[in-house]
Amino acid sequence: MSKSNKYNFGIVVFPGSNCDHDCYHAIKHVFGQDCEFLWHHETDVDRFDCIVLPGGFSYGDYLRTGSIASLSPIMKSVEKFAQAGNPVLGICNGFQVLVEVGLLPGALIKNSSLKFVCKWVSVRVESTNNIFTENLKVGDTLDIPIAHGEGNYFCTSEELKELNDNSQVVFRYCTENGELSPESNPNGSIENIAGITNKAGNVLGMMPHPERCAEEIILGTQGRLIFESIISWLNLNKKEKGRA
Amino acid sequence: MPNLQTALEHGLTEGEYNKIVDALGREPNFTELGILAAMWSEHCSYKSSRVHLKRLPTKGKAVIQGPGENAGIVDIGEGLCAVFKMESHNHPSFIEPYQGAATGVGGILRDIFTMGARPIAILDSLRFGNPQLPKTKFLVDGIVDGIAGYGNCIGIPTVGGEVYFDDCYNGNPLVNAFALGITKTDEIFKGYATGVGNPVIYVGSKTGRDGIHGAVMASETFTKEAEEKRPAVQVGDPFTEKLLLEACLELFKTGIVVGIQDMGAAGLTSSSTEMAERAGTGLMIEIDKVPRREVEMTPYEVMLSESQERMLMVVEKGKEKIAQDIFKKWDLDFSVIGEVTDSGKLVITDNGEPSAEIPINLISEEAPLYNRPIDRPDYMDDLNNLDMSSLSIPNDFNNTLLTLLSSPTLASKKWIYEQYDYMVRTNTLTMPGSDAAVVRIKGTKKAVAMTVNCNSKYCYLDPYIGAAIAVAESARNLACSGAKPLAITDCLNFGSPENPGVMWQFEQAINGMSEACLKLNTPVVSGNVSFYNETEGTAIYPTPTVGMVGLIENTDTHLTQWFKDEGDLIVLLGETKEELGGSEYLKQIHNKVEGKPPVLDLDQELKLINVLLKASERGIINSAHDISEGGVAVAISECCFTPKGPIGVEVKVPQLIRKDAVLFSETQGRALVSLNDQNLNKLKELTESLDLPMETIGRVSGTRLLIEDLIDIPVAKAYNTWAQGFENILKSYA
């Protein structure tokens, strides 16, 4: 990636977001990009090259996870931003918001264990037909943390077929050796799904936290590959597309 | 009008009631009585413990704020300081485990951010009864779920803690929650209501009828009717607390805050009177201005409600709007409910009508102070008299070790910590389960290390030594992580202070803790006392839990307990003596809690700490683990059980004493370190210069857990036994 290009990342802050600072730290201090917090009342997102919906408990998850945040004023602008082909990354609660707002299909329901689970898992890259795994290969595995109570991905069989047919499933939970098994599925997700994109491949929702494994000191670095893929994509596409 | 009977029902004694009448020159009205009863409760007034707490050392070079504020503060350099405290939430957690534990976490977090610090870590010390009892499973599930529910939602990692099981906690589980935050030394806020005429402001959640009398409940022993007290337990709302946290931190940056305090036990009553007391002022409160979530609440109910997620603050007069805008942004209630006066009184009005008028000093300074009778219990002599010759020595130590590794106290606590988000904020440098939790401070090379400890069996057998060991083991844990111990916070959990035997335990524990804190240069900067941990007349073991904080100047030097590299040498620092009294081995294998706890030699501890700190700074060791419950055999096993799976060892330990003591003795002042061959001489020089015994006992090697002549098990088998032990116990109820 070219060092001269700096991109502007916007991190949406809903009441109850709590991984906003972690994403900011990774993007700003680990990758040296520009980064701003965006209060959920804001509506102007045109100055950004990528929008991140961080993890947390927006509105306490007191209703369905992500459902109240999906009604925040900023989400209309994020939808437009996404429809224009710009990168939108939803992590954990951010994934739940993307599903609620309809940018991604399906739903995230309670973990099959009925308990919150925080641990390191392995995920296998299933598709590179998108912005976020551009620097990866299909079949690569990543060690990456999860931390959620409602990360059990569910969708109809039609939606599932469409996701598979269009290579929209980006990550599946797997063993360390890259095998898919019920034991390697930490939350009961259908077909071990850990992350999906929209059809266009510019909106990714994932339950694992790439910002939690972007530095050696916090015991893992493979989350970097996802952020670096976004930056590579911006390097290639920014000039042609211009800002949204 | 209330009378003596009403006072007695509020937990006051006849003498205390008469004192109130004398001081006021009249009978108190119902609201006044409620306020005084809450503030004079053991929980709020420390009336039985104050005379003893004075003996604790509270000063030191690093101490910025000692006991008496919402939390203690120590200097960590570069203009930064660590703000921390531990607090008990035992009584509510027994009555309603989820909410009791959740609000314990919420309360301790408010204590931290009240002082201007963003909380960055939570630890919990949990104690449950016999794991075979269905009630224990109910409590474990509920309490763990409550801690997870609150901590995960607010987004502050639960990075460590300890969990013990013992019959003595059957009717009184202990939930001691520790939190730590970081702020700049010139951006500390305190609970002072200064500046006559300044507005007193209420922010946060609305006030409801929840938790009325919580402080009084926490000052009584339990009977079978305990569950009827459920309405006295508060309900937590971590989402609102997250908003309150962010709003307060945003407000602090404006520089308009004069003083601030969270509403904890005894709610508006304690926050208002304590703020006025510290500042030497008075307060006028218009109780009708307090935001409410229920209708027709009386001034009594509003003053005594323990609804959560509320703060009381004083800001500069004329700057109310600045504060109001911030709280509006965060969708929180904001109401100017009174002002600071110079009357020296708490004056409450309700729609203009006088409702209460009490001198502040009657609530605080003139609160009762008791020097309760102290008597060493007669049973101590028998208890301390353990006949070692009557103890059979097991002939299969493999089984003995496996039994210990699968026992509830020693087995892996993964089932618990995987329910906690221990990584959020991306500062956690160690996986849970190591000697201490290590959390970096972004923007610096520094990290803080934290640990919570108490071996209450030791405290039962000798409260003086037991409490001193809690301090020493904490310091050892920190040193094993490469952190210099700085200061402690404590949760002193005991039975009824009205029992002279319990007061003897308390006195002894304070003395032991004081000696260890002085010697190890770790003053007490905050804490709390929880008496009345008794049900049906049976008290818990004395449990003076210590939370210690240490500093790592350079994160590159921090260590974990786990062996790193195949072929590394394993060295035992310190010497093993025949000390099985109060050991986990004695309890699990011989079913006895007897004898004398291990001897504590604080000079030896200091040497060990210095060796560990120098060895980590110089980068000559790859891991370090303190030897405690289960002795050297369990410590070696724990070093083998890395977060990435088990690794084997070949070890030979000196066998100069009973073989069971060789393996399971809990002699203090010991640690296991692993290192590369090339660093062995450097370590030898270091231990010789500091006069600490060391012995090379083996290597990290292979796939067996081999302690020559004594133990030989496939390490994977030992690991699985340990990893599954806790879950198997929980499953056995199903």
Side-chain angles (χ1 to χ4, degrees):
Chain A
M1 107 195 184
S2 142
K3 282 191 179 156
S4 56
N5 284 340
K6 244 188 186 186
Y7 298 101
N8 197 11
F9 285 68
I11 297 171
V12 179
V13 182
F14 300 105
S17 294
N18 66 30
C19 301
D20 43 349
H21 289 255
D22 304 354
C23 290
Y24 184 93
H25 172 75
I27 291 165
K28 178 98 174 177
H29 298 123
V30 179
F31 300 105
Q33 303 297 308
D34 288 331
C35 199
E36 274 179 53
F37 290 119
L38 280 168
W39 187 235
H40 69 123
H41 284 175
E42 291 195 38
T43 50
D44 178 9
V45 300
D46 289 349
R47 62 190 181 281
F48 296 101
D49 299 303
C50 175
I51 298 279
V52 178
L53 305 181
F57 286 69
S58 56
Y59 294 94
D61 281 354
Y62 289 160
L63 193 54
R64 243 174 14 255
T65 56
S67 62
I68 301 179
S70 73
L71 304 172
S72 280
I74 198 168
M75 286 313 295
K76 283 270 173 266
S77 310
V78 172
E79 275 182 79
K80 275 190 207 134
F81 182 83
Q83 277 149 11
N86 296 299
V88 175
L89 170 61
I91 302 165
C92 200
N93 194 227
F95 185 9
Q96 294 162 341
V97 176
L98 288 173
V99 164
E100 283 291 333
V101 83
L103 280 169
L104 295 172
L108 290 145
I109 59 177
K110 238 183 195 331
N111 295 348
S112 51
S113 66
L114 304 182
K115 291 191 182 304
F116 189 97
V117 58
C118 175
K119 64 176 182 179
W120 286 81
V121 297
S122 299
V123 295
R124 191 173 77 186
V125 176
E126 301 289 291
S127 160
T128 54
N129 197 13
N130 63 70
I131 293 175
F132 310 90
T133 47
E134 189 147 298
N135 293 2
L136 286 149
K137 293 193 300 294
V138 169
D140 283 352
T141 62
L142 305 180
D143 292 329
I144 192 165
I146 54 166
H148 56 249
E150 304 189 28
N152 181 348
Y153 184 74
F154 184 80
C155 62
T156 64
S157 49
E158 293 78 26
E159 285 169 329
L160 186 62
K161 183 170 185 303
E162 204 172 328
L163 284 174
N164 283 322
D165 289 350
N166 297 327
S167 304
Q168 284 173 255
V169 177
V170 184
F171 301 114
R172 292 186 207 271
Y173 301 108
C174 64
T175 65
E176 277 173 39
N177 307 321
E179 288 149 25
L180 305 182
S181 68
E183 293 72 36
S184 65
N185 185 341
N187 54 26
S189 288
I190 197 164
E191 290 191 356
N192 285 36
I193 286 175
I196 56 169
T197 60
N198 61 347
K199 248 184 222 170
N202 68 313
V203 178
L204 170 67
M206 61 189 295
M207 288 314 294
H209 287 269
E211 80 283 10
R212 294 189 183 189
C213 51
E215 293 168 274
E216 194 64 60
I217 192 172
I218 49 171
L219 309 169
T221 56
Q222 292 186 311
R224 299 176 66 104
L225 297 164
I226 292 164
F227 291 105
E228 284 165 1
S229 292
I230 299 171
I231 294 166
S232 297
W233 184 88
L234 289 170
N235 278 335
L236 280 174
N237 292 272
K238 265 288 293 177
K239 281 168 209 149
E240 299 155 34
K241 295 173 81 81
R243 283 175 198 245
Chain B
M1 211 53 186
N3 53 25
L4 175 60
Q5 187 54 37
T6 330
L8 296 177
E9 283 161 14
H10 275 77
L12 291 167
T13 65
E14 186 171 350
E16 288 168 350
Y17 180 71
N18 290 337
K19 190 173 172 179
I20 291 170
V21 175
D22 283 351
L24 293 178
R26 60 179 167 84
E27 303 254 305
N29 66 30
F30 192 57
T31 304
E32 292 165 340
L33 183 69
I35 290 171
L36 284 158
M39 292 307 292
W40 284 14
S41 70
E42 188 65 55
H43 189 77
C44 290
S45 73
Y46 294 83
K47 58 191 170 191
S48 304
S49 57
R50 258 153 57 210
V51 293
H52 298 287
L53 295 176
K54 277 190 218 148
R55 295 197 298 277
L56 290 168
T58 57
K59 296 196 165 61
K61 225 169 59 185
V63 178
I64 292 176
Q65 175 67 55
E69 258 293 341
N70 287 298
I73 306 181
V74 292
D75 195 335
I76 56 169
E78 292 183 41
L80 297 172
C81 56
V83 180
F84 62 97
K85 191 182 186 187
M86 179 161 53
E87 215 164 59
S88 59
H89 232 217
N90 307 333
H91 291 78
S93 300
F94 179 60
I95 296 172
E96 212 303 296
Y98 183 98
Q99 293 297 345
T103 54
V105 172
I108 196 67
L109 290 173
R110 282 196 301 284
D111 280 334
I112 304 307
F113 70 79
T114 291
M115 303 206 68
R118 180 180 281 281
I120 61 165
I122 300 167
L123 286 85
D124 303 285
S125 170
L126 308 179
R127 282 153 214 281
F128 300 102
N130 187 328
Q132 304 304 330
L133 296 172
K135 174 87 178 182
T136 302
K137 177 179 161 48
F138 167 75
L139 291 171
V140 170
D141 273 345
I143 287 171
V144 170
D145 210 14
I147 291 169
Y150 210 100
N152 296 350
C153 180
I154 194 168
I156 296 160
T158 301
V159 293
E162 56 166 2
V163 187
Y164 278 85
F165 292 83
D166 198 291
D167 288 5
C168 75
Y169 303 109
N170 281 350
N172 287 87
L174 301 185
V175 175
N176 292 177
F178 167 103
L180 178 140
I182 299 290
T183 188
K184 293 183 180 158
T185 46
D186 54 2
E187 288 177 15
I188 294 168
F189 292 84
K190 294 183 183 178
Y192 281 80
T194 40
V196 172
N198 276 338
V200 175
I201 296 172
Y202 170 114
V203 295
S205 284
K206 290 179 168 50
T207 295
R209 288 195 171 91
D210 45 333
I212 292 172
H213 289 164
V216 174
M217 172 190 76
S219 305
E220 291 170 355
T221 60
F222 277 143
T223 59
K224 280 186 180 151
E225 288 76 42
E227 300 197 356
E228 289 175 9
K229 298 198 170 163
R230 199 166 283 153
V233 179
Q234 319 85 332
V235 175
D237 175 358
F239 170 60
T240 299
E241 179 133 319
K242 170 70 174 165
L243 303 183
L244 189 59
L245 161 67
E246 299 300 337
C248 285
L249 293 180
E250 198 171 319
L251 176 69
F252 291 144
K253 287 193 192 131
T254 64
I256 63 168
V257 176
V258 173
I260 180 164
Q261 176 151 344
D262 90 291
M263 296 191 214
L268 186 52
T269 291
S270 64
S271 53
S272 58
T273 53
E274 287 173 15
M275 285 180 75
E277 182 208 349
R278 290 193 196 104
T281 53
L283 288 181
M284 187 281 296
I285 290 177
E286 296 171 81
I287 198 82
D288 47 294
K289 301 262 175 74
V290 173
R292 298 153 194 222
R293 66 170 80 115
E294 292 178 76
V295 295
E296 291 177 1
M297 286 182 73
T298 64
Y300 173 95
E301 288 172 318
V302 174
M303 285 305 289
L304 293 176
S305 162
E306 292 189 6
S307 289
Q308 298 288 290
E309 293 90 27
R310 303 178 302 160
M311 292 274 194
L312 193 68
M313 61 187 189
V314 173
V315 305
E316 290 169 22
K317 193 171 172 59
K319 307 277 176 67
E320 295 88 338
K321 178 78 170 49
I322 298 172
Q324 187 171 14
D325 286 347
I326 291 173
F327 285 88
K328 195 176 166 198
K329 171 189 163 189
W330 290 97
D331 295 327
L332 291 165
D333 271 293
F334 175 99
S335 180
V336 177
I337 63 165
E339 66 176 41
V340 180
T341 67
D342 57 4
S343 68
K345 286 179 181 173
L346 174 68
V347 176
I348 298 168
T349 61
D350 185 13
N351 290 305
E353 296 293 312
S355 184
E357 182 172 334
I358 314 173
I360 297 287
N361 63 4
L362 179 61
I363 297 172
S364 52
E365 270 167 44
E366 287 173 34
L369 188 61
Y370 297 130
N371 202 343
R372 304 246 190 217
I374 286 170
D375 192 15
R376 178 175 181 267
D378 295 336
Y379 61 74
M380 289 304 296
D381 289 333
D382 278 346
L383 198 58
N384 288 152
N385 187 11
L386 170 67
D387 176 12
M388 290 287 287
S389 64
S390 73
L391 290 182
S392 60
I393 298 180
N395 44 30
D396 178 358
F397 285 120
N398 288 344
N399 270 335
T400 311
L401 178 60
L402 292 173
T403 304
L404 282 170
L405 291 175
S406 65
S407 67
T409 293
L410 293 177
S412 166
K413 297 304 177 302
K414 194 169 102 173
W415 184 88
I416 292 178
Y417 69 68
E418 282 192 348
Q419 295 184 54
Y420 301 150
D421 189 341
Y422 52 84
M423 289 186 268
V424 63
R425 305 203 66 75
T426 59
N427 296 323
T428 310
L429 305 190
T430 51
M431 288 284 287
S434 197
D435 281 23
V438 178
V439 175
R440 72 167 163 183
I441 300 163
K442 286 191 185 117
T444 73
K445 283 296 278 178
K446 293 174 192 288
V448 285
M450 296 152 283
T451 181
V452 290
N453 280 295
C454 179
N455 183 322
S456 63
K457 291 201 299 299
Y458 294 173
C459 296
Y460 172 58
L461 299 173
D462 186 332
Y464 185 102
I465 292 180
I469 286 179
V471 177
E473 185 183 342
S474 299
R476 229 181 294 141
N477 286 160
L478 295 184
C480 282
S481 307
K484 180 174 184 266
L486 291 180
I488 74 163
T489 177
D490 59 25
C491 258
L492 306 169
N493 310 275
F494 288 78
S496 166
E498 295 159 45
N499 174 342
V502 169
M503 274 320 281
W504 174 79
Q505 293 173 332
F506 189 77
E507 177 206 37
Q508 291 291 306
I510 294 288
N511 292 347
M513 188 176 272
S514 298
E515 191 197 342
C517 285
L518 273 177
K519 187 81 187 182
L520 302 177
N521 197 18
T522 52
V524 182
V525 297
S526 58
N528 88 325
V529 178
S530 171
F531 278 129
Y532 296 101
N533 291 288
E534 285 192 24
T535 295
E536 305 276 310
T538 308
I540 57 164
Y541 289 165
T543 313
T545 312
V546 169
M548 192 181 280
V549 173
L551 178 65
I552 296 170
E553 288 290 353
N554 180 350
T555 49
D556 295 343
T557 66
H558 91 272
L559 294 168
T560 63
Q561 70 183 30
W562 299 294
F563 293 141
K564 297 289 177 303
D565 298 319
E566 176 86 10
D568 271 359
L569 288 169
I570 302 169
V571 169
L572 170 66
L573 301 175
E575 278 174 322
T576 306
K577 296 178 188 135
E578 195 172 292
E579 294 181 301
L580 291 173
S583 66
E584 200 60 24
Y585 162 77
L586 196 64
K587 181 184 167 192
Q588 294 296 336
I589 307 299
H590 296 282
N591 204 21
K592 285 180 197 293
V593 179
E594 285 176 18
K596 287 204 164 120
V599 169
L600 179 66
D601 176 346
L602 287 165
D603 289 313
Q604 183 80 1
E605 296 289 343
L606 263 184
K607 286 178 197 169
L608 177 66
I609 290 166
N610 285 329
V611 166
L612 288 165
L613 289 180
K614 290 210 160 67
S616 66
E617 273 165 27
R618 293 173 192 176
I620 59 181
I621 54 177
N622 294 338
S623 72
H625 184 26
D626 117 272
I627 299 175
S628 56
E629 284 92 352
V632 77
V634 167
I636 289 173
S637 310
E638 288 167 344
C639 297
C640 294
F641 301 160
T642 80
K644 293 199 165 138
I647 48 180
V649 285
E650 291 176 13
V651 167
K652 183 173 185 180
V653 288
Q655 297 186 33
L656 308 168
I657 49 177
R658 280 172 67 116
K659 285 187 179 170
D660 50 358
V662 164
L663 293 171
F664 307 115
S665 169
E666 297 182 6
T667 303
Q668 299 296 294
R670 294 181 299 162
L672 280 174
V673 300
S674 69
L675 69 167
N676 189 291
D677 284 59
Q678 70 191 28
N679 288 325
L680 185 63
N681 280 334
K682 291 180 196 159
L683 184 63
K684 272 187 185 149
E685 281 165 27
L686 193 56
T687 53
E688 273 164 24
S689 71
L690 289 163
D691 189 27
L692 182 78
M694 72 166 257
E695 175 139 6
T696 305
I697 59 168
R699 280 187 195 277
V700 179
S701 169
T703 56
R704 304 193 74 78
L705 204 171
L706 176 72
I707 303 178
E708 216 172 286
D709 301 331
L710 299 169
I711 284 169
D712 186 6
I713 328 174
V715 71
K717 182 180 174 184
Y719 176 81
N720 289 334
T721 304
W722 169 81
Q724 299 300 325
F726 188 70
E727 228 169 310
N728 287 342
I729 294 164
L730 289 182
K731 272 187 203 154
S732 67
Y733 307 101

